[in-house]
Amino acid sequence: MPELPEVEVVRRGLESHAVGRTIDSVTVLHPRAVRRHLPGADDLSGVLAGATIRAARRRGKYLWLDLHRPDVAQGASVPVDSVVPDPPADSSDVALVIHLGMSGQMLVTAPDTPDPVHLRVRAQLGDGMELRFVDQRTFGGWFLDAYSDDSDPALADIPTTIAHIGADPFDPSFDPDAVVSAWRRKHTEIKRALLDQTLVSGVGNIYADEALWRSRIHGARLTDELGPRKLRSLLDAAREVMSEALESGGTSFDALYVNVNGQSGYFERSLNAYGREGQPCRRCGRLMRREQFMNRSSFSCPRCQVRPRGH
């Protein structure tokens, strides 16, 4: 599943190539692509038609478009079964949440560009371009959501389905000291805590392994046994490695992850831990190991990241 850098690359592409454009029409080509939008494909297409894309936004690994609907703003009626909320003051009318899943792609293309084999949703834009959602494995999709009515100003313009997700290390509201304190109160493996999106969002399996390697911490170490300085260094490492990945366009191991222009990221060439089983540690030379963790693989150095006793 794409992690923060990959999703941010897509968001930036949508910001450059889709924001400010109006959606003329939407065609859903596969029902699974809109299965999370319970009113159905026709409702989603009807609500999106005529809407203007105001912004492309992200929280952690979650992406959405802020949409303005003139008919709602003018007081026109809305279908009873629609999920469109009352338009918040000084805000967009509705959020189009985009779940990339494991293989989702958002492409902005000319209409005469041949359709990809796994095209799931086509949105025709007012200037003649098309916004296409391509998803080989059909784990991703689009759905409409209202904005959170939470009293916390930091959550006021976040879609309700995403409001429980914590801030990420790039968010101005991110409080690393609060995260460290929350971790210290827990008694859990540090990698499990790092992957908990309610505390710090955006970090997935790849960048967790990279941050742990940089911090010389084994993922099975317990959070309440690590000091505040060590935990803070881990957060700093996570932000650092994701920042570097952003500069490279994200991490891509095959053709499934691309930006809105269809280009793959290249940060996999700079990975120090993930996927490097049996290769020399770039810091000490010891052969890297792979271990099972939460139905996935963890990669670490036996010398730099000493496994705690009993694991």
Side-chain angles (χ1 to χ4, degrees), residues 76-118:
S77 60
V78 177
V80 174
D81 61 350
S82 174
V83 298
V84 176
D86 293 332
D90 301 320
S91 181
S92 305
D93 303 323
V94 66
L96 173 62
V97 180
I98 301 162
H99 193 322
L100 295 176
M102 295 183 66
S103 60
Q105 303 171 1
M106 293 288 289
L107 305 176
V108 179
T109 64
D112 58 354
T113 303
D115 288 349
V117 174
H118 303 291

Short mmCIF file of all heavy atoms in Angstrom, two decimals, residues 76-118:
data_model
loop_
_atom_site.label_atom_id
_atom_site.label_comp_id
_atom_site.label_asym_id
_atom_site.label_seq_id
_atom_site.Cartn_x
_atom_site.Cartn_y
_atom_site.Cartn_z
N ALA A 76 -30.16 24.62 -4.05
CA ALA A 76 -30.92 23.65 -4.80
C ALA A 76 -31.08 22.36 -4.00
O ALA A 76 -30.32 22.08 -3.09
CB ALA A 76 -30.19 23.35 -6.12
N SER A 77 -32.08 21.58 -4.37
CA SER A 77 -32.33 20.34 -3.64
C SER A 77 -31.26 19.31 -3.95
O SER A 77 -30.64 19.32 -5.01
CB SER A 77 -33.71 19.78 -4.03
OG SER A 77 -33.74 19.50 -5.42
N VAL A 78 -31.06 18.41 -3.01
CA VAL A 78 -30.09 17.34 -3.14
C VAL A 78 -30.83 16.03 -2.96
O VAL A 78 -31.73 15.93 -2.13
CB VAL A 78 -28.98 17.48 -2.07
CG1 VAL A 78 -28.01 16.32 -2.16
CG2 VAL A 78 -28.26 18.80 -2.22
N PRO A 79 -30.52 14.98 -3.74
CA PRO A 79 -31.20 13.70 -3.59
C PRO A 79 -31.19 13.23 -2.14
O PRO A 79 -30.19 13.38 -1.45
CB PRO A 79 -30.39 12.77 -4.50
CG PRO A 79 -29.79 13.67 -5.52
CD PRO A 79 -29.53 14.96 -4.79
N VAL A 80 -32.31 12.64 -1.72
CA VAL A 80 -32.44 12.21 -0.34
C VAL A 80 -31.36 11.22 0.06
O VAL A 80 -30.85 11.25 1.18
CB VAL A 80 -33.84 11.59 -0.12
CG1 VAL A 80 -33.95 11.01 1.29
CG2 VAL A 80 -34.92 12.63 -0.34
N ASP A 81 -30.99 10.33 -0.87
CA ASP A 81 -30.03 9.29 -0.51
C ASP A 81 -28.59 9.73 -0.73
O ASP A 81 -27.67 8.93 -0.63
CB ASP A 81 -30.30 8.00 -1.31
CG ASP A 81 -30.18 8.22 -2.82
OD1 ASP A 81 -30.08 9.39 -3.24
OD2 ASP A 81 -30.19 7.22 -3.56
N SER A 82 -28.37 10.99 -1.05
CA SER A 82 -27.01 11.46 -1.27
C SER A 82 -26.30 11.67 0.06
O SER A 82 -26.91 11.99 1.07
CB SER A 82 -27.01 12.77 -2.06
OG SER A 82 -25.71 13.30 -2.16
N VAL A 83 -24.98 11.52 0.05
CA VAL A 83 -24.20 11.75 1.26
C VAL A 83 -23.69 13.17 1.33
O VAL A 83 -22.91 13.51 2.21
CB VAL A 83 -22.99 10.78 1.34
CG1 VAL A 83 -23.47 9.36 1.40
CG2 VAL A 83 -22.06 10.99 0.15
N VAL A 84 -24.09 14.05 0.39
CA VAL A 84 -23.61 15.42 0.41
C VAL A 84 -24.12 16.12 1.66
O VAL A 84 -25.32 16.12 1.94
CB VAL A 84 -24.10 16.19 -0.84
CG1 VAL A 84 -23.67 17.63 -0.76
CG2 VAL A 84 -23.56 15.54 -2.10
N PRO A 85 -23.24 16.70 2.46
CA PRO A 85 -23.67 17.37 3.70
C PRO A 85 -24.14 18.79 3.42
O PRO A 85 -24.01 19.29 2.32
CB PRO A 85 -22.37 17.40 4.50
CG PRO A 85 -21.32 17.57 3.44
CD PRO A 85 -21.80 16.77 2.26
N ASP A 86 -24.69 19.43 4.46
CA ASP A 86 -24.94 20.86 4.34
C ASP A 86 -23.60 21.54 4.16
O ASP A 86 -22.64 21.22 4.86
CB ASP A 86 -25.62 21.39 5.61
CG ASP A 86 -27.02 20.82 5.76
OD1 ASP A 86 -27.63 20.50 4.73
OD2 ASP A 86 -27.46 20.68 6.92
N PRO A 87 -23.49 22.47 3.21
CA PRO A 87 -22.18 23.07 2.94
C PRO A 87 -21.66 23.84 4.14
O PRO A 87 -22.31 24.74 4.65
CB PRO A 87 -22.46 24.01 1.76
CG PRO A 87 -23.93 24.28 1.82
CD PRO A 87 -24.56 23.04 2.37
N PRO A 88 -20.48 23.48 4.67
CA PRO A 88 -19.91 24.21 5.80
C PRO A 88 -19.55 25.63 5.39
O PRO A 88 -19.21 25.88 4.23
CB PRO A 88 -18.65 23.41 6.14
CG PRO A 88 -18.77 22.11 5.41
CD PRO A 88 -19.63 22.39 4.23
N ALA A 89 -19.62 26.55 6.32
CA ALA A 89 -19.24 27.93 6.03
C ALA A 89 -17.78 27.99 5.63
O ALA A 89 -16.93 27.36 6.25
CB ALA A 89 -19.50 28.80 7.26
N ASP A 90 -17.51 28.78 4.57
CA ASP A 90 -16.13 28.99 4.12
C ASP A 90 -15.41 27.67 3.83
O ASP A 90 -14.23 27.53 4.10
CB ASP A 90 -15.33 29.80 5.16
CG ASP A 90 -15.97 31.14 5.43
OD1 ASP A 90 -16.44 31.77 4.47
OD2 ASP A 90 -16.00 31.55 6.58
N SER A 91 -16.13 26.71 3.33
CA SER A 91 -15.52 25.42 3.04
C SER A 91 -16.09 24.85 1.76
O SER A 91 -17.08 25.35 1.22
CB SER A 91 -15.76 24.45 4.20
OG SER A 91 -15.15 23.21 3.94
N SER A 92 -15.45 23.81 1.25
CA SER A 92 -15.98 23.11 0.09
C SER A 92 -17.23 22.36 0.51
O SER A 92 -17.47 22.12 1.68
CB SER A 92 -14.92 22.16 -0.46
OG SER A 92 -13.74 22.85 -0.75
N ASP A 93 -18.01 21.95 -0.50
CA ASP A 93 -19.28 21.31 -0.20
C ASP A 93 -19.15 19.84 0.18
O ASP A 93 -19.92 19.33 0.97
CB ASP A 93 -20.23 21.43 -1.39
CG ASP A 93 -20.45 22.88 -1.78
OD1 ASP A 93 -20.50 23.73 -0.89
OD2 ASP A 93 -20.54 23.14 -2.99
N VAL A 94 -18.20 19.16 -0.44
CA VAL A 94 -18.10 17.72 -0.23
C VAL A 94 -16.67 17.29 -0.51
O VAL A 94 -15.94 17.94 -1.26
CB VAL A 94 -19.09 16.97 -1.15
CG1 VAL A 94 -18.72 17.15 -2.61
CG2 VAL A 94 -19.20 15.49 -0.78
N ALA A 95 -16.27 16.19 0.11
CA ALA A 95 -14.94 15.64 -0.10
C ALA A 95 -15.04 14.35 -0.91
O ALA A 95 -15.87 13.49 -0.62
CB ALA A 95 -14.26 15.35 1.24
N LEU A 96 -14.21 14.25 -1.93
CA LEU A 96 -14.08 13.01 -2.68
C LEU A 96 -12.85 12.29 -2.14
O LEU A 96 -11.72 12.68 -2.41
CB LEU A 96 -13.92 13.28 -4.18
CG LEU A 96 -13.60 12.04 -5.04
CD1 LEU A 96 -14.73 11.02 -4.96
CD2 LEU A 96 -13.34 12.45 -6.49
N VAL A 97 -13.09 11.27 -1.33
CA VAL A 97 -11.99 10.52 -0.73
C VAL A 97 -11.51 9.47 -1.73
O VAL A 97 -12.32 8.74 -2.31
CB VAL A 97 -12.42 9.85 0.59
CG1 VAL A 97 -11.26 9.08 1.21
CG2 VAL A 97 -12.94 10.90 1.57
N ILE A 98 -10.20 9.40 -1.91
CA ILE A 98 -9.61 8.49 -2.89
C ILE A 98 -8.74 7.49 -2.15
O ILE A 98 -7.74 7.86 -1.54
CB ILE A 98 -8.76 9.27 -3.91
CG1 ILE A 98 -9.63 10.30 -4.64
CG2 ILE A 98 -8.10 8.32 -4.90
CD1 ILE A 98 -8.82 11.38 -5.34
N HIS A 99 -9.17 6.25 -2.17
CA HIS A 99 -8.40 5.17 -1.53
C HIS A 99 -7.59 4.49 -2.62
O HIS A 99 -8.13 3.85 -3.52
CB HIS A 99 -9.38 4.19 -0.87
CG HIS A 99 -8.74 3.22 0.06
ND1 HIS A 99 -7.51 2.65 -0.16
CD2 HIS A 99 -9.18 2.70 1.24
CE1 HIS A 99 -7.21 1.82 0.82
NE2 HIS A 99 -8.20 1.83 1.68
N LEU A 100 -6.25 4.61 -2.56
CA LEU A 100 -5.40 4.04 -3.60
C LEU A 100 -5.23 2.53 -3.46
O LEU A 100 -4.82 1.86 -4.42
CB LEU A 100 -4.03 4.72 -3.58
CG LEU A 100 -4.03 6.21 -3.94
CD1 LEU A 100 -2.63 6.78 -3.78
CD2 LEU A 100 -4.55 6.45 -5.35
N GLY A 101 -5.54 1.98 -2.29
CA GLY A 101 -5.37 0.55 -2.10
C GLY A 101 -3.94 0.14 -2.32
O GLY A 101 -3.00 0.82 -1.92
N MET A 102 -3.73 -0.99 -2.99
CA MET A 102 -2.37 -1.47 -3.25
C MET A 102 -1.88 -1.12 -4.64
O MET A 102 -0.68 -1.19 -4.91
CB MET A 102 -2.32 -2.99 -3.05
CG MET A 102 -2.57 -3.46 -1.64
SD MET A 102 -2.41 -5.24 -1.45
CE MET A 102 -0.66 -5.46 -1.76
N SER A 103 -2.79 -0.75 -5.54
CA SER A 103 -2.38 -0.54 -6.93
C SER A 103 -3.08 0.63 -7.60
O SER A 103 -3.03 0.78 -8.82
CB SER A 103 -2.63 -1.82 -7.75
OG SER A 103 -4.01 -2.17 -7.72
N GLY A 104 -3.75 1.48 -6.81
CA GLY A 104 -4.52 2.58 -7.39
C GLY A 104 -3.63 3.65 -8.00
O GLY A 104 -2.59 4.02 -7.45
N GLN A 105 -4.05 4.17 -9.15
CA GLN A 105 -3.35 5.25 -9.83
C GLN A 105 -4.34 6.34 -10.20
O GLN A 105 -5.45 6.05 -10.64
CB GLN A 105 -2.67 4.74 -11.11
CG GLN A 105 -1.70 3.61 -10.91
CD GLN A 105 -1.23 3.00 -12.21
OE1 GLN A 105 -1.62 3.44 -13.29
NE2 GLN A 105 -0.40 1.97 -12.13
N MET A 106 -3.95 7.59 -10.00
CA MET A 106 -4.72 8.74 -10.43
C MET A 106 -3.97 9.39 -11.58
O MET A 106 -2.86 9.91 -11.39
CB MET A 106 -4.93 9.72 -9.29
CG MET A 106 -5.80 9.20 -8.17
SD MET A 106 -7.55 9.09 -8.61
CE MET A 106 -7.99 10.84 -8.69
N LEU A 107 -4.54 9.37 -12.77
CA LEU A 107 -3.86 9.88 -13.96
C LEU A 107 -4.65 11.04 -14.56
O LEU A 107 -5.88 10.97 -14.67
CB LEU A 107 -3.71 8.77 -15.01
CG LEU A 107 -3.00 7.49 -14.56
CD1 LEU A 107 -3.00 6.46 -15.68
CD2 LEU A 107 -1.58 7.78 -14.12
N VAL A 108 -3.97 12.09 -14.95
CA VAL A 108 -4.56 13.20 -15.68
C VAL A 108 -4.05 13.11 -17.11
O VAL A 108 -2.84 13.25 -17.35
CB VAL A 108 -4.20 14.56 -15.06
CG1 VAL A 108 -4.83 15.70 -15.87
CG2 VAL A 108 -4.67 14.63 -13.60
N THR A 109 -4.95 12.83 -18.06
CA THR A 109 -4.52 12.55 -19.42
C THR A 109 -5.42 13.24 -20.44
O THR A 109 -6.53 13.68 -20.13
CB THR A 109 -4.56 11.04 -19.71
OG1 THR A 109 -5.92 10.59 -19.64
CG2 THR A 109 -3.73 10.26 -18.70
N ALA A 110 -4.92 13.31 -21.66
CA ALA A 110 -5.73 13.79 -22.78
C ALA A 110 -6.77 12.73 -23.12
O ALA A 110 -6.51 11.53 -22.96
CB ALA A 110 -4.84 14.09 -23.98
N PRO A 111 -7.95 13.13 -23.60
CA PRO A 111 -9.01 12.16 -23.86
C PRO A 111 -8.68 11.13 -24.94
O PRO A 111 -9.27 10.05 -24.96
CB PRO A 111 -10.19 13.05 -24.27
CG PRO A 111 -9.58 14.32 -24.72
CD PRO A 111 -8.37 14.51 -23.89
N ASP A 112 -7.74 11.46 -25.83
CA ASP A 112 -7.40 10.51 -26.89
C ASP A 112 -6.32 9.52 -26.47
O ASP A 112 -5.89 8.67 -27.26
CB ASP A 112 -6.96 11.24 -28.16
CG ASP A 112 -5.77 12.17 -27.92
OD1 ASP A 112 -5.38 12.33 -26.74
OD2 ASP A 112 -5.27 12.75 -28.90
N THR A 113 -5.87 9.61 -25.20
CA THR A 113 -4.91 8.63 -24.68
C THR A 113 -5.61 7.28 -24.53
O THR A 113 -6.70 7.22 -23.97
CB THR A 113 -4.35 9.08 -23.32
OG1 THR A 113 -3.76 10.38 -23.45
CG2 THR A 113 -3.33 8.10 -22.81
N PRO A 114 -5.02 6.20 -25.06
CA PRO A 114 -5.68 4.89 -24.95
C PRO A 114 -6.01 4.55 -23.50
O PRO A 114 -5.24 4.83 -22.59
CB PRO A 114 -4.62 3.93 -25.52
CG PRO A 114 -3.81 4.77 -26.45
CD PRO A 114 -3.76 6.14 -25.80
N ASP A 115 -7.16 3.93 -23.30
CA ASP A 115 -7.58 3.55 -21.96
C ASP A 115 -6.67 2.46 -21.40
O ASP A 115 -6.40 1.47 -22.08
CB ASP A 115 -9.01 3.02 -21.96
CG ASP A 115 -10.03 4.12 -22.18
OD1 ASP A 115 -9.65 5.30 -22.13
OD2 ASP A 115 -11.21 3.78 -22.40
N PRO A 116 -6.19 2.61 -20.16
CA PRO A 116 -5.45 1.52 -19.51
C PRO A 116 -6.35 0.31 -19.34
O PRO A 116 -7.58 0.43 -19.25
CB PRO A 116 -5.05 2.12 -18.16
CG PRO A 116 -5.16 3.60 -18.33
CD PRO A 116 -6.27 3.81 -19.31
N VAL A 117 -5.75 -0.85 -19.27
CA VAL A 117 -6.53 -2.09 -19.15
C VAL A 117 -7.39 -2.09 -17.89
O VAL A 117 -8.54 -2.55 -17.92
CB VAL A 117 -5.57 -3.31 -19.12
CG1 VAL A 117 -6.35 -4.60 -18.85
CG2 VAL A 117 -4.81 -3.41 -20.43
N HIS A 118 -6.87 -1.51 -16.81
CA HIS A 118 -7.57 -1.58 -15.53
C HIS A 118 -8.20 -0.24 -15.15
O HIS A 118 -8.28 0.11 -13.97
CB HIS A 118 -6.60 -2.05 -14.44
CG HIS A 118 -5.97 -3.37 -14.74
ND1 HIS A 118 -6.67 -4.55 -14.74
CD2 HIS A 118 -4.68 -3.69 -15.09
CE1 HIS A 118 -5.86 -5.56 -15.05
NE2 HIS A 118 -4.66 -5.06 -15.27
#
